Amino acid sequence: MLPISSLPQLLKTILAWLQRAFDATTTWVTQLSWWKFFLFAALALIAGSILQDELFSSTPDEEIVIKSHKRSSKGTGETNILIDDTGIHFNPRNSKNRRSSTADAASDPTDAIEADEHANAVPPAPPEPPATPAKPSYPVTTNASGEEVHIELPPQIGEELSNAIEEAVDDAAEQKVSRYHQQASTWFKSFVSLLVLALFAMKALVGGKKRAEAETVTANEAAERESMQRQLSEAKMQMMQAQVEPHFLFNTLASVEHLIQVDPPRAAKMQRSLIQYLRAVLPQMRDNALITNLGREADMVQAYLNLLKMRMEERLTVDFQIPDGLRSAAFPPMMLQSMVENAIKHGLEVKPEGGTLRIVAEVAHSKLRVIVTDDGLGFGVVPSDGTGLGLPTIRERLKLLHGDQGSLTITPNQPSGVCAVIEVPYQLSK
């Protein structure tokens, strides 16, 4: 006996196991496609039919043995027992044989002729009066209370009656077993059919809910992975934003110091341009916004190019074509300056005679297109020193921010230089 306190705990454990089994079965059924489910149902019904035949149907050999045993036990005759209100009517096996022998004797023609001759020779005797029926020679005894009756029978009749009763009991038992097998077979077939129907209902009714839950979990996991990748990419960008080009600042300050001695007005102009550049860059580094506007990026690049123009003088020509109507368009931060820095460092600054830098913004097919071209030395002439916002990082950020709608394309410019194109969906900055 279990203690009363442990019975609720046992019930809770059993219910928890049943719930886990139901959830596991539901998950397995919902993961199957419909054609796989119907194939499984057909195989289950076939397997159930085979098991039904093996478990609840008798083999032909067993039927032959039972029938031969019945024939051998019955012999040549057939014994009948009938119980009604008048008593017990017992037809022994040899009664028919005796009747048949009597009939054969009556049908013998030789005996009939002899009987006729004997009748002609001797006159018929007068009919005798009917004899009184003899009393049975088998005593019937009854006890004093009248509850028990004992009838003595001849040994042959008693044996045949006992055999007849045994056969009747065997037939009744066999019929009972046959009914049990038939009922168990019906129950087993119904159980298999109900199981298949329950799985079908489970897949039809609960399958949609389970699929929606699985899709929700998958979408949440994908969103979490994308968020982590975006955070990692933005952390890299912020780290790069904090790294203002050391050689650019050092060279600019050295130029200011030199110009103070030889050309103070020009040194003052360069100093103002440096202050303007830092005012444009420092808020951008402190701001963690994923999207800014094109006008803010253009102002920062314009301040940067003014400093470079004072250093490179006539070696640098800038063609800035950003319409005022596009200054409010949304644009990722630091990307435009990165493209301009790459064009200056790897194309124009290392070219003795310098060149032209062109920055164009336009809208085409509902996309904002920003194009940076130069006629410098081109690809691979000057190796990168690892500073600045790299092209792989720009592509990664565009993919995280805009998916397939954002792209960075780098192509050779004619007759020399590089053409870089950034495309993002055109929308106004918030």
Side-chain angles (χ1 to χ4, degrees):
M1 294 295 294
L2 293 174
I4 298 178
S5 59
S6 64
L7 184 59
Q9 186 67 26
L10 178 61
L11 293 177
K12 289 182 180 179
T13 304
I14 294 175
L15 291 177
W17 277 100
L18 290 177
Q19 184 178 2
R20 282 196 290 268
F22 177 79
D23 292 338
T25 305
T26 305
T27 303
W28 172 73
V29 170
T30 53
Q31 288 176 352
L32 292 177
S33 59
W34 279 108
W35 73 270
K36 289 184 179 179
F37 174 79
F38 285 123
L39 178 61
F40 167 77
L43 293 177
L45 293 176
I46 294 172
S49 178
I50 294 174
L51 289 176
Q52 179 184 3
D53 295 337
E54 292 292 334
L55 296 177
F56 306 107
S57 298
S58 59
T59 60
D61 295 338
E62 294 177 352
E63 294 179 356
I64 292 173
V65 170
I66 294 173
K67 290 180 181 178
S68 63
H69 176 69
K70 288 183 178 180
R71 287 195 297 268
S72 62
S73 63
K74 289 181 180 179
T76 58
E78 183 178 358
T79 302
N80 295 326
I81 297 178
L82 178 62
I83 301 175
D84 57 12
D85 296 338
T86 61
I88 299 177
H89 303 273
F90 172 63
N91 181 19
R93 300 173 184 172
N94 296 329
S95 62
K96 291 184 178 180
N97 295 333
R98 288 196 294 268
R99 286 196 298 270
S100 63
S101 64
T102 304
D104 293 341
S107 61
D108 191 353
T110 305
D111 296 339
I113 294 172
E114 293 177 355
D116 292 339
E117 291 177 355
H118 181 70
N120 294 329
V122 181
E128 298 179 357
T132 60
K135 294 182 180 181
S137 59
Y138 312 112
V140 179
T141 60
T142 306
N143 60 356
S145 62
E147 296 178 356
E148 180 180 353
V149 178
H150 177 69
I151 303 175
E152 293 184 3
L153 298 175
Q156 183 180 2
I157 298 299
E159 182 181 359
E160 291 181 358
L161 182 60
S162 177
N163 292 334
I165 293 175
E166 290 179 358
E167 290 179 4
V169 171
D170 292 340
D171 291 339
E174 183 181 351
Q175 292 177 3
K176 184 176 181 181
V177 171
S178 178
R179 287 194 302 269
Y180 168 75
H181 283 179
Q182 184 177 4
Q183 187 177 11
S185 175
T186 303
W187 286 354
F188 181 78
K189 185 177 181 180
S190 300
F191 171 75
V192 175
S193 302
L194 289 176
L195 179 61
V196 173
L197 289 177
L199 292 177
F200 176 80
M202 188 181 298
K203 181 173 179 60
L205 299 178
V206 189
K209 180 180 178 182
K210 288 292 183 181
R211 284 194 299 270
E213 291 178 354
E215 291 175 358
T216 302
V217 171
T218 303
N220 291 336
E221 292 177 352
E224 290 178 0
R225 288 195 300 269
E226 183 177 352
S227 177
M228 292 178 64
Q229 293 177 357
R230 180 179 298 178
Q231 292 175 4
L232 179 60
S233 177
E234 294 302 326
K236 292 179 180 179
M237 185 202 69
Q238 293 172 6
M239 181 182 63
M240 292 177 180
Q241 286 178 348
Q243 297 174 352
V244 179
E245 291 288 347
H247 77 279
F248 170 73
L249 290 177
F250 293 155
N251 292 338
T252 302
L253 293 176
S255 299
V256 170
E257 183 182 6
H258 174 70
L259 290 176
I260 289 176
Q261 297 177 358
V262 297
D263 192 351
R266 188 179 176 189
K269 185 178 179 181
M270 180 175 288
Q271 184 180 7
R272 289 193 298 269
S273 298
L274 179 60
I275 293 173
Q276 182 182 1
Y277 171 73
L278 293 177
R279 283 177 178 174
V281 171
L282 291 177
Q284 188 78 348
M285 291 190 296
R286 290 192 299 264
D287 192 1
N288 295 328
L290 299 178
I291 297 294
T292 183
N293 57 68
L294 184 59
R296 188 175 179 180
E297 294 297 307
D299 293 340
M300 184 171 59
V301 170
Q302 187 69 51
Y304 172 75
L305 291 176
N306 290 335
L307 284 173
L308 289 178
K309 180 69 174 176
M310 298 184 66
R311 282 178 46 200
M312 297 178 64
E313 297 180 346
E314 301 299 329
R315 296 175 55 240
L316 177 61
T317 303
V318 178
D319 184 7
F320 215 82
Q321 300 180 16
I322 296 182
D324 294 337
L326 297 180
R327 291 180 60 87
S328 59
F331 196 78
M334 297 298 295
M335 286 191 181
L336 181 58
Q337 179 168 344
S338 175
M339 304 310 299
V340 171
E341 288 179 359
N342 287 333
I344 296 294
K345 288 173 55 179
H346 305 296
L348 298 178
E349 191 174 18
V350 294
K351 188 177 181 180
E353 64 274 19
T356 302
L357 178 67
R358 181 175 291 104
I359 302 173
V360 180
E362 60 185 10
V363 176
H365 305 291
S366 300
K367 288 187 177 182
L368 176 62
R369 181 182 300 169
V370 178
I371 306 171
V372 178
T373 58
D374 66 86
D375 54 359
L377 296 180
F379 289 111
V381 176
V382 178
S384 175
D385 56 3
T387 60
L389 194 60
L391 300 181
T393 305
I394 293 177
R395 288 193 173 94
E396 182 179 357
R397 290 184 61 216
L398 288 173
K399 184 178 180 180
L400 291 175
L401 292 173
H402 303 290
D404 296 335
Q405 296 183 353
S407 64
L408 169 64
T409 306
I410 305 294
T411 57
N413 191 23
Q414 299 298 331
S416 63
V418 176
C419 177
V421 181
I422 296 178
E423 286 187 348
V424 295
Y426 175 67
Q427 54 188 357
L428 296 179
S429 177
K430 296 180 180 179

